[in-house]
């Protein structure tokens, strides 16, 4: 498979990135982050999640954030929906896409939602059906696709099972997520291969955490397979609550720097992207978790 000439980045910073932040981030700041990301050229942004505020207080302002965004033509705004109740609330905010999720780890599934992998995906069937009937796209995320905090290494067969179940309930596109960032290139390629049994190369994305510094290597391993969709997070927002000291999602800036350096088109203005990451990092009172951003910000000062 040849390396793709263009790549689509789904920035999950406003949702996956901010949901783990301890300090409350006001809706206006989240809206401004989305505006800055779309101005930088992002065409897919995961904005918020419609989950119980009891479980994720940071996302309690979901409807306010969605209402506050000045939508740009050609940009897809997605939201996470954990169940039918979440979907019913989400649909009022007119998302372009909803995201459902399932773990490739039986132990993770049992510990987090008290049910098996099969049961967890089956719960999303009515959500996917309702979304499709309303003309809303349905994306799925396969978490713990390479490793699990409870089970250790995950067999590719588990990933294939989740991909098959997601295909069966009507999920159109899946992200293969190394949730705790333990993956290395060959393991990641095996997880992707398992998914590609049920989805085409155009319907699969890579989602990597940088806990062990492997996220860019894993991104490159996916590019070599022809994968051209990736989930990333501006300024590397988001920790992983299951791995002590774990850094979060790979930084959008680092992935864009890699892609542009390989001559791959993203449609993203790296300088504006760095400004967006700097904006949210300033609010959180810390430096961006992005090597490329910090290097280029230092260069600007020079």
């Amino acid at each position: 498979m040849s390396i793709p000439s263009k790549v689509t980045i789904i920035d999950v910073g406003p949702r996956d990135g901010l949901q783990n932040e301890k300090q409350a981030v006001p809706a206006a700041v989240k809206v401004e982050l989305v505006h800055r990301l779309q101005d930088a050229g992002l065409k897919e942004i995961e904005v918020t999640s419609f989950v119980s505020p009891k479980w994720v207080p940071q996302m309690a302002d979901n409807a306010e954030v969605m209402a506050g965004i000045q939508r740009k033509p050609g940009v897809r705004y997605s939201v996470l929906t954990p169940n039918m109740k979440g979907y019913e609330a989400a649909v009022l905010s007119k998302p372009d896409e909803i995201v459902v999720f399932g773990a490739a780890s039986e132990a993770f599934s049992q510990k987090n939602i008290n049910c098996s992998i099969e049961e967890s995906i089956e719960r999303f069937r009515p959500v996917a059906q309702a979304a499709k009937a309303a003309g809303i796209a349905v994306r799925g995320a396969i978490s713990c696709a390479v490793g699990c905090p409870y089970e250790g290494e995950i067999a590719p067969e588990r990933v294939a099972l989740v991909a098959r179940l997601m295909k069966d309930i009507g999920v159109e596109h899946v992200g293969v997520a190394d949730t705790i960032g333990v993956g290395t290139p060959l393991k990641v390629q095996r997880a992707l291969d398992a998914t590609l049994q049920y989805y085409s190369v155009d319907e699969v994305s890579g989602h990597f955490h940088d806990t062990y510094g492997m996220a860019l290597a894993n991104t490159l391993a996916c590019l070599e397979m022809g994968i051209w969709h990736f989930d990333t997070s501006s300024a590397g927002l988001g920790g992983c609550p299951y791995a002590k000291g774990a850094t979060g999602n790979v930084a959008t800036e680092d992935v864009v720097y890699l892609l542009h350096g390989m001559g791959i088109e993203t449609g993203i203005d790296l300088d504006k992207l760095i400004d967006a990451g700097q904006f949210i990092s300033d609010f959180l009172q810390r430096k961006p978790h992005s090597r490329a951003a910090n290097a280029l910000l230092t260069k600007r000062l020079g």
Side-chain angles (χ1 to χ4, degrees), residues 21-35:
E21 291 295 333
K22 297 279 183 283
Q23 60 172 300
V25 179
V29 172
K30 293 171 183 167
V31 169
E32 176 68 13
L33 175 59
V34 171
H35 285 163

Side-chain angles (χ1 to χ4, degrees), residues 161-183:
L161 167 69
V162 180
R164 177 172 64 77
L165 294 169
M166 285 196 169
K167 190 78 173 178
D168 184 53
I169 65 161
V171 171
E172 296 154 326
H173 183 111
V174 289
V176 177
D178 180 12
T179 310
I180 56 170
V182 292

Side-chain angles (χ1 to χ4, degrees), residues 25 34 59 64 69 77-78 107 120 143 149 154 163 174 193 199 206 212 224 238 253 260 293 301-302:
V25 179
V34 171
M59 298 287 129
E64 189 186 345
I69 295 166
Y77 303 91
S78 60
S120 74
S143 62
I154 296 296
V174 289
D193 269 333
Y199 286 89
Y212 290 85
E224 287 172 347
E253 297 92 326
H260 287 183
L301 298 172

Side-chain angles (χ1 to χ4, degrees), residues 4 17 22-23 52-53 131 146 150 156 166 175 186 205 220 235 244 270 276:
K22 297 279 183 283
Q23 60 172 300
S52 164
V146 191
Y150 313 114
M166 285 196 169
L186 279 178
S205 13
L220 181 57
K244 287 269 189 291
L270 183 55

Side-chain angles (χ1 to χ4, degrees), residues 203-259:
E203 300 166 330
V204 175
S205 13
H207 178 121
F208 304 116
H209 285 238
D210 206 28
T211 317
Y212 290 85
M214 290 288 111
L216 288 177
N218 293 337
T219 300
L220 181 57
C222 287
L223 287 168
E224 287 172 347
M225 296 174 74
I227 299 293
W228 59 282
H229 289 88
F230 293 92
D231 299 351
T232 63
S233 179
S234 40
L237 288 172
C240 177
Y242 312 107
K244 287 269 189 291
T247 49
N249 299 285
V250 65
T252 308
E253 297 92 326
D254 292 351
V255 174
V256 170
Y257 181 84
L258 168 76
L259 296 170

Side-chain angles (χ1 to χ4, degrees), residues 2 14 60 83 113 139 147 197 231 284:
S2 58
N83 49 36
I113 40 180
R139 180 157 54 90
Q197 292 174 40
D231 299 351
L284 296 168

Side-chain angles (χ1 to χ4, degrees), residues 273-295:
L273 177 63
I274 287 170
D275 292 340
Q278 181 76 67
F279 161 76
I280 192 64
S281 300
D282 284 346
F283 175 81
L284 296 168
Q285 298 183 303
R286 61 168 185 248
K287 278 171 72 169
H289 291 308
S290 159
R291 296 274 183 88
N294 287 320

